Amino acid sequence: MNNVIFQTGGDWDSTTLSKNGSDWPAEKLQLSLQAGRDMDGEPVRGGITAGGDISAEVYPQESPGNAVGIFPGRLQIVFPGHDLIIENTHPGFAFEATTVLYNGRDITDSIVEAMVDIDAEQNQVQAYITIYKPHWLGADEVATISFI
Amino acid sequence: MKKTWGRLLFVASLACLIVFAPMASLPAMARGSFGGGHSFGGGHSFGGGHSFGSSFGSRSASSFGRSGSFGGGRSSSGGSFFGHRSFGSTSQRSSGSFGGYRGFSSSSGTRSGGSFGRSGAFGGGRTYTQSHSPYVYGGRSAPARYYGGFSDYSYYWNRPSWYYYTPFHPAFYYNPPIYVNGYYVPGGFNWFHTIIAGILFVMVLAFFARMFGGGGGGKRIRYTRY
């Protein structure tokens, strides 16, 4: 099982990627998780249980053209003030077996979207999550939290 | 949008059904209870509601249903003005309620003043029926005065059942009776319990709206960014 950890302090010098405890030089890291939406594409409660899809790939430096999948496994994304852990250890990579933790809090049932796009070649960093927050009084909230 | 309104309508209807269905059956409950163990009306014509209209020859069931007038045996007359109910005993009765309120003539015969079997000024104080058997509340025994309507549910509090403490029973909305000058009178409307019931109703409505409607009457979503 893969255990990939991306960690950054806010600049490229402090950015590292490791796989199973070893440094893993890479050009790109891409994560896309879509969940918690109805048939019209509108956000709903339920998170992973509402269905969706997930993909996570790394483009290693030794073979930039070949994307290496992370799942089944565990991916941890660490930005200053943000700690996202996505784990799917199901042998068949069943989507409903995915668990999502943000800053130690389980948001599996409220995640709507998670997007991480680290491209060293293009000097591009994008990372955010969107979660569904139901409220008893007032409108429900769809909150997007940017990591950077 | 149509789906949202449909859900809202469904939820509102369901909540109204749950809360107001017991209320709608109150008059029937009242009739049944008066003739029962609480001995409203001193065992006279109260509680005989089922046989009214059929046993009094000239009064058909349909006229009872329309005017709500329960006539006495011999001197029944008039009916009630303004469509209010008047309950009379067999020997003497009030011939109508002029004051725009429900008139309950006493079976004891102590309050018959004029030809109309009613004392006091027109439209004056409320009439009542005083029970023969003493009403016991809080260790004190005294006659009770029944003014009719829902206020008489106040007398239920001498032997409260558990469901009197729920918003689904009318006694919940009335205070226990008050001892005044040798007799009991209804305790009055309980506004505090009414407000509690209102809050509960809103909470139930919100619960069903959230359960079936997806968030407070429709799909209202606020997008935020942090």
Side-chain angles (χ1 to χ4, degrees):
Chain A
M1 188 186 80
N2 295 321
N3 183 12
V4 178
I5 300 175
F6 171 85
Q7 193 160 10
T8 181
D11 52 34
W12 288 111
D13 294 335
S14 61
T15 301
T16 59
L17 182 68
S18 66
K19 178 182 179 183
N20 298 329
S22 306
D23 191 42
W24 192 16
E27 288 190 349
K28 283 196 288 188
L29 165 65
Q30 290 178 333
L31 162 71
S32 175
L33 188 157
Q34 304 287 337
R37 293 185 186 273
D38 61 12
M39 294 177 68
D40 300 324
E42 296 296 322
V44 294
R45 62 171 63 194
I48 297 296
T49 59
D53 58 75
I54 182 173
S55 66
E57 297 168 334
V58 172
Y59 293 80
Q61 279 186 350
E62 62 264 27
S63 56
N66 296 329
V68 178
I70 296 175
F71 297 114
R74 180 181 185 271
L75 172 62
Q76 183 174 9
I77 308 288
V78 180
F79 280 78
H82 306 278
D83 187 355
L84 177 69
I85 298 173
I86 300 176
E87 187 170 315
N88 187 321
T89 57
H90 191 273
F93 191 26
F95 178 76
E96 57 270 23
T98 306
T99 58
V100 184
L101 279 80
Y102 174 68
N103 286 347
R105 188 164 57 97
D106 190 343
I107 58 169
T108 302
D109 293 335
S110 60
I111 186 74
V112 173
E113 186 176 4
M115 175 67 71
V116 176
D117 185 7
I118 312 295
D119 192 333
E121 193 173 324
Q122 300 293 326
N123 190 25
Q124 177 180 315
V125 177
Q126 182 185 20
Y128 65 86
I129 60 169
T130 301
I131 56 176
Y132 192 94
K133 292 181 174 179
H135 295 294
W136 270 100
L137 300 174
D140 289 350
E141 180 182 2
V142 176
T144 299
I145 303 169
S146 295
F147 289 4
I148 193 167
Chain B
M1 182 62 80
K2 277 184 179 176
K3 191 169 68 175
T4 301
W5 279 108
R7 282 177 176 172
L8 180 64
L9 200 62
F10 171 72
V11 169
S13 304
L14 191 66
C16 287
L17 191 69
I18 290 171
V19 175
F20 290 116
M23 299 293 284
S25 63
L26 289 184
M29 294 164 68
R31 281 198 301 274
S33 300
F34 285 176
H38 290 79
S39 67
F40 276 36
H44 287 271
S45 58
F46 270 172
H50 300 302
S51 60
F52 280 145
S54 59
S55 61
F56 294 131
S58 61
R59 294 192 171 270
S60 67
S62 61
S63 65
F64 157 64
R66 182 174 65 252
S67 66
S69 170
F70 296 174
R74 292 193 299 270
S75 60
S76 169
S77 64
S80 63
F81 289 89
F82 311 124
H84 292 282
R85 288 173 288 181
S86 63
F87 294 71
S89 65
T90 55
S91 60
Q92 107 191 98
R93 62 178 303 278
S94 63
S95 60
S97 54
F98 285 85
Y101 51 84
R102 298 184 187 91
F104 289 71
S105 68
S106 170
S107 59
S108 62
T110 56
R111 296 187 302 105
S112 58
S115 303
F116 288 93
R118 180 187 294 275
S119 61
F122 286 144
R126 300 174 64 194
T127 56
Y128 55 85
T129 299
Q130 189 160 306
S131 63
H132 293 293
S133 56
Y135 176 82
V136 181
Y137 177 74
R140 176 182 282 162
S141 176
R145 290 183 174 180
Y146 300 92
Y147 292 88
F150 292 128
S151 67
D152 288 346
Y153 280 107
S154 174
Y155 292 109
Y156 277 45
W157 285 108
N158 64 336
R159 282 177 293 175
S161 299
W162 65 268
Y163 49 86
Y164 294 178
Y165 297 95
T166 69
F168 303 106
H169 194 277
F172 179 79
Y173 300 95
Y174 287 89
N175 290 312
I178 304 169
Y179 182 78
V180 177
N181 295 331
Y183 52 86
Y184 277 108
V185 296
F189 197 74
N190 191 328
W191 285 103
F192 177 71
H193 280 189
T194 304
I195 291 170
I196 295 291
I199 292 170
L200 277 174
F201 173 70
V202 170
M203 289 175 68
V204 168
L205 194 67
F207 173 76
F208 281 109
R210 176 150 294 279
M211 207 168 164
F212 298 109
K219 197 165 190 173
R220 295 183 296 119
I221 295 177
R222 184 165 53 98
Y223 291 88
T224 57
R225 184 171 286 275
Y226 298 97

